[in-house]
Amino acid sequence: MVKILPQDSKPMGLFFYLTKITKRSTNRINYTMRAFIYLPFILSIFTTVACSQHKVNDEKELVKAIDSFSKKNFDKWLEFEEMTASHIDSGAPQFESVRNNSFVKTFRIFTEQQAIHYAAVRSAKFAQYAAPPAALLALKWDTSGQQSPGSTISHMDLFAVVFIRTFDPSTITQITNSLVTADMFTNLSRDKMYDYYSKKDLFGMRIYARPLDNNKWQVWAADHFMALSFRFDAANGIVSAVSHTYMDDPAYAKIHWPPSVAKPANETERLRADILTNIWNSYPANAVEGDSYYAYRKIRNEQLTKFHNSQVARYKPAREEQLRLLEPPPADLTNYKELTTAEDNLLEHSDSSYNAATLLYAEQWSQILAIAAVTYYQISTKTFAKRVQRNAILGSKTYARQLNDNEWEILTISARDANSCIWNIKTGYARNGRYWVSKEPGA
């Protein structure tokens, strides 16, 4: 059996995947179409903390509507997959054919029908975030990408479908950043891109938001090199007016960055905000371009371990608060085939001190288990990308059952796969990782 690398030692999954895509591309538009196909896979690579809040009533109703829409229009989605795949193979600039695609048109009608619900759910989450520091707004911003007809930035409305199940500002921002940075870095050397993506992946972003009008929000996302700004329409999921600071602006390094979340919704979110701040602050003051990724990762992990040890009493109640909101898992998985055997240790390397210090939600283990399964079972990138992509459209559900004072069984069932583990919410470590795949043809 093939063994996997430690979860947080897989070097910049996002960066290397983007590099792979860019290298194969014949032009910028071809890259855009590739990014659309592989985006859900790219998102699954993220090992930083992602917000996965309990679904309030408005969100539950919206998710039900999304589930119904996805199942009803799945055949159209498959046709859309096939069309975009053919665009990638041909390298042809086909923005307009995407815009006129049957699934995209149907999705646009759906979002118009659900606009009030989308806006309510997303705006409640955006309202937790702080306004940006004044020094950030005072910088010079590059808006040139908005005028380039061949850039991703000028066609961001096409990517609204990617946000079909996305409500939280942190995830929306990561997706937007992934989509537009390739356009922004066309003149950057590979070494500088490597340096940028590696440190962004390690130390995260500061995210800020401010309401505008008609359900629109202005969003800022800053890493330790540069900041991105865009408008987000919470009703229809459209990103617009994308701009960014200049990477070598000396004023940027002097900015004091307040925490992103000013009004956490609960204690779990309060702890999550503190974890993200600790990750951000672990960036060394004497950082030098080109320094070893692994050296920086060691610094970050050491700081996280210290934080975890000093705040350990907060973790168990924060995790338990969210787990008690989940339904117990079903008795069996009738339409799934388990790949795991008694000899397999799917979590051998993923069960790390980094994950113990950062994971607060059951859904986060689902992402880690799915990624671990890729290498452990030698699943091809293409197969797994399609699996994650279809899960992103059709959705998933996470269940939890308390086993004893500290351990909970967690199970996530998605359209094309499922996984589970036993999580010790006091220590943060997990065991007994399991993985299933759907028995459906083409899964």
Side-chain angles (χ1 to χ4, degrees):
M1 184 64 66
V2 176
K3 300 300 182 182
I4 60 174
L5 292 170
Q7 181 70 25
D8 58 351
S9 72
K10 296 168 79 173
M12 294 79 66
L14 171 63
F15 169 70
F16 283 112
Y17 210 81
L18 284 175
T19 302
K20 181 180 178 182
I21 293 170
T22 306
K23 189 174 181 180
R24 291 179 182 173
S25 301
T26 57
N27 54 48
R28 198 179 298 174
I29 294 176
N30 194 22
Y31 163 78
T32 301
M33 304 311 300
R34 284 187 180 279
F36 194 94
I37 288 293
Y38 289 106
L39 182 61
F41 179 72
I42 292 170
L43 294 178
S44 72
I45 298 294
F46 281 108
T47 57
T48 53
V49 181
C51 183
S52 205
Q53 297 177 25
H54 166 59
K55 296 178 178 63
V56 296
N57 288 335
D58 285 346
E59 187 171 340
K60 288 180 179 178
E61 292 304 311
L62 178 56
V63 170
K64 286 182 182 178
I66 295 169
D67 288 344
S68 177
F69 167 82
S70 300
K71 291 175 183 176
K72 181 180 178 181
N73 294 282
F74 188 59
D75 286 344
K76 290 183 179 179
W77 168 260
L78 294 179
E79 292 173 359
F80 180 59
E81 271 188 6
E82 186 176 347
M83 182 196 76
T84 50
S86 67
H87 291 173
I88 291 174
D89 292 336
S90 67
Q94 298 287 345
F95 281 115
E96 287 309 310
S97 63
V98 173
R99 193 180 305 280
N100 294 319
N101 175 264
S102 176
F103 179 84
V104 173
K105 285 184 174 180
T106 305
F107 172 74
R108 195 175 296 128
I109 294 171
F110 172 74
T111 54
E112 289 173 358
Q113 295 170 342
Q114 298 293 328
I116 294 174
H117 304 293
Y118 267 114
V121 172
R122 287 169 172 156
S123 292
K125 297 180 187 296
F126 272 95
Q128 297 180 55
Y129 283 73
L136 177 62
L137 302 182
L139 297 179
K140 294 180 179 179
W141 292 77
D142 185 342
T143 61
S144 58
Q146 299 175 28
Q147 287 79 45
S148 176
S151 71
T152 305
I153 292 173
S154 61
H155 292 276
M156 288 301 294
D157 62 303
L158 292 179
F159 297 91
V161 65
V162 178
F163 299 115
I164 183 172
R165 296 180 180 273
T166 306
F167 315 128
D168 178 71
S170 64
T171 311
I172 290 167
T173 301
Q174 288 184 59
I175 293 173
T176 303
N177 185 279
S178 300
L179 286 169
V180 304
T181 48
D183 276 341
M184 292 155 46
F185 293 163
T186 52
N187 297 319
L188 222 59
S189 69
R190 189 182 185 280
D191 287 343
K192 197 155 189 176
M193 287 179 65
Y194 180 97
D195 199 46
Y196 170 78
Y197 281 115
S198 65
K199 290 174 183 175
K200 185 174 80 69
D201 283 358
L202 281 174
F203 300 104
M205 295 186 291
R206 299 274 78 179
I207 299 171
Y208 306 100
R210 186 168 63 193
L212 298 173
D213 57 5
N214 297 325
N215 301 315
K216 292 183 176 63
W217 290 80
Q218 188 71 34
V219 185
W220 295 264
D223 52 56
H224 284 284
F225 287 85
M226 56 171 285
L228 186 73
S229 177
F230 60 91
R231 290 177 187 170
F232 184 75
D233 191 320
N236 58 29
I238 292 178
V239 170
S240 62
V242 179
S243 61
H244 62 89
T245 60
Y246 292 89
M247 188 169 286
D248 297 319
D249 189 338
Y252 190 83
K254 300 177 182 179
I255 296 176
H256 171 71
W257 302 98
S260 296
V261 178
K263 300 175 182 178
N266 49 51
E267 286 305 310
T268 314
E269 277 301 286
R270 191 181 305 278
L271 177 55
R272 170 181 173 266
D274 289 346
I275 292 169
L276 291 174
T277 295
N278 185 272
I279 291 172
W280 174 268
N281 290 339
S282 64
Y283 184 72
N286 60 345
V288 177
E289 183 177 325
D291 277 4
S292 168
Y293 165 83
Y294 297 99
Y296 284 122
R297 190 192 66 184
K298 182 180 179 181
I299 293 171
R300 181 204 64 181
N301 289 1
E302 287 176 349
Q303 291 299 315
L304 273 173
T305 298
K306 290 178 182 178
F307 175 83
H308 184 224
N309 291 341
S310 68
Q311 302 291 319
V312 67
R314 299 174 62 189
Y315 277 81
K316 181 179 176 180
R319 289 162 171 157
E320 190 168 14
E321 178 182 37
Q322 301 304 311
L323 288 169
R324 291 199 179 280
L325 300 172
L326 301 176
E327 297 176 16
D332 53 57
L333 294 173
T334 55
N335 295 319
Y336 293 80
K337 173 187 176 182
E338 184 169 8
L339 300 186
T340 325
T341 67
E343 292 74 31
D344 290 338
N345 185 1
L346 193 58
L347 287 169
E348 180 179 0
H349 299 294
S350 299
D351 193 20
S352 65
S353 59
Y354 174 81
N355 288 334
T358 58
L359 303 191
L360 300 178
Y361 294 92
E363 292 87 346
Q364 293 170 311
W365 275 113
S366 174
Q367 296 176 12
I368 289 170
L369 286 160
I371 293 298
V374 175
T375 309
Y376 200 95
Y377 298 112
Q378 297 181 285
I379 301 169
S380 73
T381 299
K382 184 177 180 180
T383 297
F384 185 69
K386 184 176 289 187
R387 190 175 294 163
V388 175
Q389 184 170 283
R390 293 182 181 178
N391 287 344
I393 291 296
L394 294 172
S396 62
K397 186 171 182 179
T398 299
Y399 304 85
R401 173 169 51 223
Q402 188 171 11
L403 302 178
N404 52 53
D405 189 45
N406 293 323
E407 291 188 320
W408 287 70
E409 177 190 1
I410 296 164
L411 171 67
T412 296
I413 302 176
S414 302
R416 294 296 181 261
D417 60 4
N419 56 64
S420 75
C421 67
I422 295 174
W423 188 19
N424 186 314
I425 62 172
K426 182 178 180 179
T427 67
Y429 289 87
R431 62 181 177 87
N432 198 31
R434 301 171 68 184
Y435 185 74
W436 295 259
V437 294
S438 173
K439 294 179 181 178
E440 291 187 27

